[in-house]
Amino acid sequence: MAPSPSPSSTGLVGRDNFPHRHLLGIANLAPHEIRFLLDEAEQWVTLNRADSRKHDDRLAGLTQMNAFFENSTRTLLSFEVAGKRLGADVVNMHAAQSSVKKGETLIDTAMTLNAMRADVIVIRHMSSGAVQLIADKVDCPVLNAGDGRHEHPTQALLDALTIRRRLGGLEGVIVTICGDVLHSRVARSNMLCLTALGANVRVCAPPTLMPAEAERYRVTPFHDFDAALEGADVVMMLRVQNERMDGAFIPSAREFHLLYGLTPERLKRAKPDAIVMHPGPMNRGVEITSTVADMPDRSTITEQVEMGVAVRMACLDVLTRERRGVAGWA
Ligand code: NCD
């Protein structure tokens, strides 16, 4: 029998905590909905840290399809591990090498997944908006695992969870996000998520890699990395996304490193116990030196991966509650 719904920390019950069918981005989530997903993820951190069995069978009998039209290591693996730990039957579709393009072909793919009666679909696609397109065509919840330069909501949630667990909360925390902000869906989802949770967000990039609309996100733009680091609690470094660049945005990796690379000397400008984050994959020696990336108590890079599994378990659980007939959600 489905357990009866209990009030969350927000005082809301059941579906009122998260009244969305899909998770396509952070943009349309209220702060309490973001906090709800983070609160839900905590139980999975505990389960995943258990010495022996890390299993819960609430998604048993459900089919989770991961359709990745773009390369991925940690996001794909993390969604697969998350689904399996909840007991789902997980199927992966790798389309990175195929010639699938946006438009009819994409819709055909969506219809195929739908005809196989997926219960939840996780999609990564190189085109911004492609995930929304698929979500409009299928009968089950869709999770965005990164679409073009648009959003990567589960990455922002796992980053928020990592900061919350390390610093005790997000309110008033100074977060400096530095690197290729222009091409980064991680930066976009994080700007939305961290400001919604009350953080004070600074973004730093060379003028060519700074989005024109940065101020609309209620973040403070910087071009001088040293100034952006002053007094920061969290330093989040981003990769230079060469694959999304169709022109020369930076003179060279060496120049980029000189101006925007995080070195132990530069890190001294941040708070003495500031944490260092990176969503991966890292370009060691470009945006971050190995010395900083591997600092045992300052770098949270592996912890972010760990939180990723917990956050994705929470999202898969919450989004499938309606079809599982969980009381208060169906
Ligand atoms: C990022 C992505 O793919 O958006 N990586 C990730 O999901 N952990 C960032 C990147 O590609 O640089």
Side-chain angles (χ1 to χ4, degrees), residues 70 74-75 124 152 155 185-186 239 241 243 279-281:
E70 199 186 70
R74 68 213 85 217
T75 308
R124 166 166 287 196
H152 191 353
Q155 178 70 42
R185 54 197 176 206
V186 176
R239 187 173 66 92
Q241 304 207 10
E243 75 278 19

Side-chain angles (χ1 to χ4, degrees), residues 104-121:
E104 263 191 4
T105 318
L106 182 59
I107 291 169
D108 281 348
T109 310
M111 298 322 292
T112 305
L113 302 181
N114 206 42
M116 291 184 191
R117 296 196 163 266
D119 293 295
V120 57
I121 301 179

Side-chain angles (χ1 to χ4, degrees), residues 70-72 74-75 124 145-146 148 151-152 155 158 183-186 238-241 243-244 278-282 312:
E70 199 186 70
N71 291 331
S72 169
R74 68 213 85 217
T75 308
R124 166 166 287 196
E151 281 232 41
H152 191 353
Q155 178 70 42
L158 75 87
H183 297 102
S184 176
R185 54 197 176 206
V186 176
L238 302 172
R239 187 173 66 92
V240 173
Q241 304 207 10
E243 75 278 19
R244 295 199 204 287
H278 195 304
M282 278 186 276
R312 287 164 183 135

